[in-house]
């Protein structure tokens, strides 16, 4: 009696995705671009501190059922590195997020996208100051090329527009948010070795707790949530995409290729933001869009390839 060969194992799309750092980091940038566009759109309608706090409470509650067994097993490792975990929660979730939404109450999208492009420089600065990690020439070249692409897009190919940009307190706050997130990115490789769900649940929960007093203060000033369709849609988007999925993808991407090779993917945020303007706001694509896209993609490829990793 002959037996049929065993059926081949069913491919697991999620398992495949977790081993694709460039795709993970690109999706992260897409979700964060949507977050910036949406944050600016709802400025003055949704309170920034409350939005930040609810964002992380929602992400925490979504992930907790899946993370519970991992969190129970990993708790001793997390507790042993508790000061670092609190710093990661503060820089990557509380301070960065609250400052970003708050800044978007005052600054324009052009300014925010321009400042966003400096993200890799903050990561490199913190890595150098804290751990002596120097950028390779390939990484420097990649950051420079992709930064040129970002400037081409947001200045619409007119370098003269750079002189006309006026920075306000919102710009300073947005830069502060990037400074905090650069520290988070630089510290991530030093995190305790745990399951990524344990890490993300701890940091989202801790980040929400750190933001709670500020949200209560904001509520006491009379700036409260209005539960209309725009508010509900905003909360649903920020909880699922730029929070839960983006941070899972970003943390995994850093774990696979390191912070300096992952940092150039910051430049994809304004690229995707420009694309959203074309698709959603009816802006006509121009030659400078194509030139900018090609420069950014070239810079990301150069800076993130394996050969550019510092020894």
């Amino acid at each position: 009696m002959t037996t049929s060969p065993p059926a081949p194992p069913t491919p697991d799309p999620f398992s495949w995705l977790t081993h694709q750092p460039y795709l993970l980091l690109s999706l992260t940038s897409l979700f964060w671009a949507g977050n910036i566009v949406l944050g600016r759109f709802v400025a003055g309608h949704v309170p920034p501190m409350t939005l930040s706090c609810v964002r992380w409470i929602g992400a925490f509650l979504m992930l907790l059922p899946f993370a519970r067994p991992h969190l129970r097993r990993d708790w001793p490792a997390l507790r042993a590195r508790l000061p670092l975990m609190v710093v990661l929660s503060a820089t990557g979730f509380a301070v960065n997020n609250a400052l970003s939404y708050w800044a978007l109450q005052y600054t324009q999208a052009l300014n925010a996208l321009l400042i966003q492009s400096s993200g890799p420089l903050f990561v490199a600065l913190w890595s150098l100051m804290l751990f002596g990690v120097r950028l390779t020439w390939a990484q420097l070249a990649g950051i420079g090329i992709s930064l040129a692409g970002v400037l081409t897009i947001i200045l619409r190919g007119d370098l003269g527009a750079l002189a006309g940009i006026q920075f306000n307190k919102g710009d300073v706050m947005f830069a502060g948010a990037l400074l905090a997130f650069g520290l988070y990115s630089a510290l991530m490789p030093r995190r305790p070795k745990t399951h990524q769900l344990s890490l993300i649940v701890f940091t989202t929960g801790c980040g929400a707790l750190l933001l709670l007093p500020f949200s209560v203060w904001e509520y006491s000033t009379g700036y409260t949530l209005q539960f209309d369709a725009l508010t509900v849609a905003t909360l649903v988007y920020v909880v699922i995409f730029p929070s839960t999925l983006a941070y899972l993808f970003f943390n995994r991407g850093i774990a696979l290729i390191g912070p300096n090779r992952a940092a150039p993917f910051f430049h994809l945020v304004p690229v995707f933001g420009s694309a959203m303007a074309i698709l959603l706001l009816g802006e006509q694509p121009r030659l400078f869009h194509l030139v900018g896209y090609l420069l950014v993609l070239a810079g990301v490829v150069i800076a993130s390839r394996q050969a550019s990793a510092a020894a």
Side-chain angles (χ1 to χ4, degrees):
M1 179 179 178
T2 59
T3 58
S4 58
T10 304
D12 183 355
F14 182 76
S15 177
W16 173 84
L17 181 62
T18 59
H19 293 85
Q20 309 299 319
Y22 304 144
L23 177 57
L24 291 171
L25 292 168
S26 297
L27 288 172
T28 298
S29 296
L30 175 63
F31 298 155
W32 283 344
N35 186 51
I36 291 176
V37 173
L38 182 60
R40 178 58 186 164
F41 182 74
V42 301
H45 184 79
V46 181
M49 295 298 170
T50 304
L51 177 58
S52 301
C53 188
V54 171
R55 171 181 180 177
W56 298 128
I57 291 174
F60 173 82
L61 294 176
M62 280 188 63
L63 291 170
L64 183 60
F66 306 100
R68 192 185 303 274
H70 305 292
L71 188 61
R72 188 180 300 113
R73 185 189 65 244
D74 294 332
W75 176 244
L78 294 169
R79 185 175 55 188
R81 304 292 301 278
L82 191 58
L84 174 62
M85 294 304 301
V86 173
V87 171
L88 289 175
S89 302
T91 55
F93 296 80
V95 176
N96 159 64
N97 196 234
L99 277 180
S100 295
Y101 284 139
W102 200 3
L104 288 169
Q105 308 284 314
Y106 303 103
T107 191
Q108 299 299 312
L110 175 63
N111 296 49
L113 290 173
L114 175 58
I115 297 167
Q116 178 75 32
S117 68
S118 65
L121 303 181
F122 287 114
V123 178
L125 176 64
W126 282 117
S127 296
L128 176 62
M129 290 174 56
L130 296 178
F131 310 115
V133 177
R134 298 181 182 275
L135 291 174
T136 66
W137 286 110
Q139 289 169 340
L140 282 171
I143 289 176
I145 292 171
S146 54
L147 179 58
V150 169
L151 291 174
T152 300
I153 293 170
I154 62 180
L155 299 178
R156 305 177 66 86
D158 179 14
L159 293 179
L162 188 62
I165 295 178
Q166 297 180 349
F167 291 92
N168 57 25
K169 64 180 179 180
D171 303 321
V172 176
M173 292 162 62
F174 204 89
L178 282 176
L179 182 65
F181 196 75
L183 178 57
Y184 169 81
S185 302
L187 289 174
M188 269 296 292
R190 270 71 183 180
R191 72 194 186 282
K193 302 301 181 184
T194 66
H195 193 279
Q196 67 166 337
L197 284 176
S198 300
L199 178 71
I200 197 74
V201 163
F202 182 96
T203 47
T204 53
C206 185
L209 287 176
L210 293 172
L211 286 166
L212 188 58
F214 299 96
S215 181
V216 172
W217 166 80
E218 187 176 59
Y219 180 85
S220 70
T221 66
Y223 196 2
T224 60
L225 279 176
Q226 304 175 40
F227 285 99
D228 52 21
L230 178 58
T231 299
V232 172
T234 299
L235 294 177
V236 169
Y237 177 81
V238 300
V239 166
I240 295 175
F241 294 99
S243 305
T244 305
L245 293 180
Y247 274 78
L248 282 172
F249 292 176
F250 183 74
N251 290 348
R252 179 59 177 167
I254 285 185
L256 290 173
I257 65 174
N260 277 342
R261 290 173 60 204
F265 283 84
F266 278 107
H267 289 320
L268 291 179
V269 175
V271 170
F272 286 133
S274 176
M276 288 177 184
I278 294 171
L279 295 175
L280 303 178
L281 304 179
E283 182 177 335
Q284 294 299 312
R286 306 286 179 82
L287 179 60
F288 67 81
H289 287 116
L290 177 60
V291 173
Y293 292 158
L294 292 177
L295 286 171
V296 170
L297 292 176
V300 169
V301 169
I302 291 171
S304 61
R305 62 191 176 91
Q306 180 66 35
S308 71

